[in-house]
């Protein structure tokens, strides 16, 4: 049971790492209504679109690596109560994901206004 829960705890951070690499490198050449960092500000212009996707990729890669390490450590520390510990770990991971949205929106506002 522990190893399965550890794997589940790593799902969000590893997804962030791999998508972070993709967004950082691919930079999605045109505004895509289905895939990418899509907000009103990011889709306002092609320059904002490329900037926001690269920045989100950079944040997700960095924070995803950090969350992976933290998740592994906390999973082992909470090994006896991994079911409840996993809820805490995933809650922290989701908060970090939402925080990256705030950071990108703040950077978009500073660079492009509005």
């Amino acid at each position: 049971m522990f190893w399965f829960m550890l794997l589940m705890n790593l799902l969000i951070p590893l997804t962030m790492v791999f998508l972070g690499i993709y967004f950082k490198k691919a930079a999605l050449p045109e505004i895509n209504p289905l895939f990418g960092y899509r907000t009103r500000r990011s889709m306002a212009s092609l320059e904002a679109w490329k900037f926001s996707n690269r920045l989100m990729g950079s944040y997700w890669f960095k924070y995803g690596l950090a969350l992976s390490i933290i998740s592994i450590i906390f999973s082992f520390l909470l090994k006896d109560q991994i079911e409840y510990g996993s809820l805490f770990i995933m809650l922290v991971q989701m908060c970090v994901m939402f925080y990256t949205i705030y950071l990108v929106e703040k950077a978009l506002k500073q660079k492009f206004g509005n």
Side-chain angles (χ1 to χ4, degrees):
M1 179 67 146
F2 170 76
W3 295 106
F4 175 75
M5 293 305 291
L6 176 63
L7 182 63
M8 293 298 104
N9 289 341
L10 291 174
L11 238 132
I12 292 173
L14 293 179
T15 300
M16 287 175 70
V17 168
F18 291 120
L19 285 177
I21 292 169
Y22 178 78
F23 284 129
K24 205 170 152 185
K25 302 292 181 196
L28 301 172
E30 57 188 45
I31 298 174
N32 184 334
L34 299 175
F35 187 68
Y37 181 77
R38 300 174 309 130
T39 63
R40 183 177 46 84
R41 280 193 182 111
S42 69
M43 296 175 75
S45 70
L46 187 58
E47 185 182 358
W49 173 257
K50 289 181 179 182
F51 173 79
S52 62
N53 278 282
R54 280 192 191 118
L55 187 59
M56 178 58 96
S58 176
Y59 284 141
W60 273 25
F61 179 75
K62 291 174 193 173
Y63 286 116
L65 283 178
L67 282 174
S68 297
I69 294 166
I70 292 168
S71 297
I72 290 170
I73 292 169
F74 273 98
S75 292
F76 279 101
L77 288 175
L78 302 169
K79 190 174 186 177
D80 294 334
Q81 298 177 341
I82 191 67
E83 294 86 6
Y84 298 111
S86 292
L87 290 174
F88 171 74
I89 291 168
M90 289 183 193
L91 178 65
V92 170
Q93 292 170 349
M94 295 301 291
C95 289
V96 170
M97 282 181 67
F98 287 123
Y99 179 65
T100 60
I101 294 170
Y102 166 76
L103 293 175
V104 172
E105 287 299 309
K106 183 178 173 184
L108 278 169
K109 188 174 183 179
Q110 288 176 345
K111 184 166 179 146
F112 299 100
N114 233 354

